[in-house]
């Protein structure tokens, strides 16, 4: 049984995802941010949005690339955050993080203006901004340090808990294949995150955005290697092992040289300790990327990330989304569609991205397909070192 089938057992967490570069409806961030106060103002609404994460569906829901939520509620809303005073107590931030005021970030993004909008995800809108090289003060566009400012959307269902996880995990991790968290803002009901700006945006946009130029083979492999290094660091090298849990193309960001960096640690979890083989969690992740065994049992291991890596590798090889309801029946779920082709060295050429127009390494494609097959197999999955 494939992941797609199992994913149907879980409810969709979220909701509005408007990507302006996909030419989709653009109202979300704009409307909210025209009333910036209302974008992040009401504490009770923040709490509501978090406690309602399993049921708050809106008309903007899309079937693809949706985070998934619990099949079994082992921890249920115990995972949700409580009121603001406690937030500050929970916040043990790494000292190198810069603490911004809301007004700093408002000015740095030129009032969160639409022209600065980089994209929108489950957390909220992301804006381009400029700050002092070594401080927190806003500076003139094009000078100082360019940053991406992520704003918490109170209508969103990833709430304070994810914000906290991001500060806690990413704030303490430094690696060339993880996006750098520059700082944060926690002020009244405002929750923002400030990252290094990644000039080439997300892998998702390069692979699937209408009008984007096809990524050459060598760049695809460079990105796969960089992303694998980021995951391997989390699993094997970080001081305390981390399970990332949300590995997907939109969370792989690219610098000017197409170096891949993982972003979004809102769902990250500490790995199992001692002789434990897994951690038990509510099932969270994204349709089409979550490992079937994790979705079925709630048992989370680093191998769940390895499965998701296999899905992303397959997306890079085929140029197809992990879930695509617009394709003919039998081709909606990428893993199910591709799997029969992966074991045969000649058959894999039938599923390679036609946009490559034959420009790829035969040997490299066979190896990559073999690796994807291993990652997607039930057991054993390879390490990503
Ligand atoms: N540091 C950054 N530099 C440049 N662009 C960024 C940066 N962070 C995010 N973006 C852009 O903003 C978009 C939205 O990012 P965000 O992480 O909020 O959502 P997502 O990854 O698309 O979805 P999800 O919430 O499910 O993870 C990204 O797809 C990317 O295009
Ligand atoms: Mg993301």
């Amino acid at each position: 049984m494939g992941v797609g089938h199992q994913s149907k057992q879980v409810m969709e967490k979220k909701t509005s995802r408007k990507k302006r570069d996909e030419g989709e409806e653009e109202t979300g961030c704009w409307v909210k941010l025209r009333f910036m106060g209302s974008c992040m103002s009401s504490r009770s609404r923040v709490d509501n949005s978090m406690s309602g994460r399993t049921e708050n569906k809106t008309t903007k829901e899309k079937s693809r690339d949706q985070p998934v939520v619990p099949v079994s509620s082992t921890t249920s809303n115990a995972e949700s955050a409580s009121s603001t005073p406690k937030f500050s107590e929970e916040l043990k931030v790494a000292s190198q993080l810069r603490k911004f005021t809301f007004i700093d970030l408002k000015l740095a993004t030129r009032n969160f203006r639409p022209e600065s909008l980089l994209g929108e995800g489950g957390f909220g809108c992301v804006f381009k901004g400029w700050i002092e090289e070594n401080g927190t003060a806003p500076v003139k566009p094009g000078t100082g340090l360019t940053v991406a400012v992520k704003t918490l959307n109170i209508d969103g269902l990833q709430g304070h808990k994810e914000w906290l996880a991001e500060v806690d995990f990413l704030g303490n991790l430094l690696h060339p294949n993880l996006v750098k968290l520059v700082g944060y803002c926690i002020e009244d009901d405002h929750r923002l995150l400030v990252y290094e700006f990644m000039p080439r945006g997300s892998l998702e946009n390069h692979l699937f955005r209408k009008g984007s130029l096809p990524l050459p083979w060598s760049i695809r492999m460079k990105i796969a290697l960089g992303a694998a290094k980021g995951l391997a660091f989390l699993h094997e090298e970080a001081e305390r092992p981390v399970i990332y849990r949300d590995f997907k193309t939109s969370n792989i960001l690219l610098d000017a040289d197409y170096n891949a960096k993982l972003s979004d640690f809102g769902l990250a979890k500490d790995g199992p300790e001692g002789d434990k083989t897994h951690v038990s969690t509510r099932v969270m992740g994204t349709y089409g990327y979550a490992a079937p065994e994790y979705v079925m049992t709630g048992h989370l291991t680093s191998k769940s990330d390895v499965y998701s890596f296999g899905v992303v590798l397959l997306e890079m090889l085929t140029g197809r989304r992990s879930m695509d309801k617009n394709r003919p029946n039998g081709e909606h779920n990428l893993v199910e569609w591709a799997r029969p082709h992966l074991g045969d060295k000649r058959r894999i050429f039938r599923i390679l991205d036609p946009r490559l127009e034959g420009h790829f390494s035969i040997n490299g494609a066979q190896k990559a397909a073999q690796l994807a097959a291993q990652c997607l197999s039930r057991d054993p999955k390879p390490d990503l070192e």
Side-chain angles (χ1 to χ4, degrees), residues 121-122 150 244 246 248 250-253 263-264:
K150 197 182 269 194
Y244 179 58
D246 207 14
K248 58 182 178 182
S250 73
N251 284 343
I252 300 172
L253 301 179
S263 72
D264 269 359

Side-chain angles (χ1 to χ4, degrees), residues 323-334:
M323 281 286 185
D324 193 345
K325 298 263 166 64
N326 296 322
R327 294 206 179 261
N329 282 341
E331 299 185 21
H332 292 181
N333 182 305
L334 176 59

Side-chain angles (χ1 to χ4, degrees), residues 129-323:
W130 292 267
I131 57 163
E132 283 176 323
E133 202 68 56
N134 295 307
T136 56
V139 296
K140 244 174 66 189
T143 67
L145 183 66
T146 313
V147 289
V149 179
K150 197 182 269 194
T151 60
L152 172 71
N153 174 2
I154 55 161
D155 294 332
L157 297 171
Q158 289 176 248
H160 173 80
K161 188 175 185 306
E162 280 77 8
W163 181 89
L164 204 60
E166 186 92 348
V167 174
D168 189 25
F169 280 103
L170 201 49
N172 287 295
L173 295 168
L174 210 56
H175 186 270
N177 297 108
L178 303 186
V179 72
K180 188 166 178 263
L181 185 64
V182 176
Y184 64 94
C185 164
I186 178 168
E187 198 179 294
D188 301 327
D189 299 310
H190 301 305
R191 301 285 179 280
L192 297 95
L193 296 161
V194 181
Y195 303 88
E196 64 175 313
F197 173 67
M198 299 292 286
R200 295 204 186 266
S202 72
L203 173 60
E204 179 185 43
N205 286 344
H206 284 275
L207 284 178
F208 306 123
R209 183 179 53 190
K210 279 193 201 106
S212 64
L213 291 173
L215 279 178
W217 175 257
S218 59
I219 301 237
R220 294 184 201 212
M221 293 302 104
K222 176 176 179 167
I223 294 169
L225 183 62
K229 283 183 179 169
L231 269 189
F233 168 77
L234 295 176
H235 294 168
E236 311 283 343
E237 296 154 44
E239 207 173 307
R240 46 174 207 189
V242 173
I243 303 172
Y244 179 58
R245 243 198 332 178
D246 207 14
F247 191 86
K248 58 182 178 182
T249 52
S250 73
N251 284 343
I252 300 172
L253 301 179
L254 303 169
D255 75 6
D257 298 321
Y258 293 96
N259 291 304
K261 303 197 186 204
L262 308 186
S263 72
D264 269 359
F265 282 68
L267 297 187
K269 276 270 172 201
D270 286 318
E273 283 180 284
D275 51 7
K276 291 216 177 104
T277 55
H278 63 264
V279 282
S280 289
T281 70
R282 299 194 297 164
V283 175
M284 302 286 289
T286 299
Y287 278 122
Y289 292 97
E293 60 271 21
Y294 169 54
V295 174
M296 281 192 293
T297 64
H299 292 177
L300 183 68
T301 73
S302 57
K303 298 297 183 192
S304 316
D305 285 343
V306 175
Y307 180 93
S308 309
F309 178 84
V311 178
V312 169
L313 190 54
L314 217 46
E315 289 184 292
M316 282 197 276
L317 292 177
T318 61
R320 291 180 175 224
R321 286 184 181 276
S322 60
M323 281 286 185

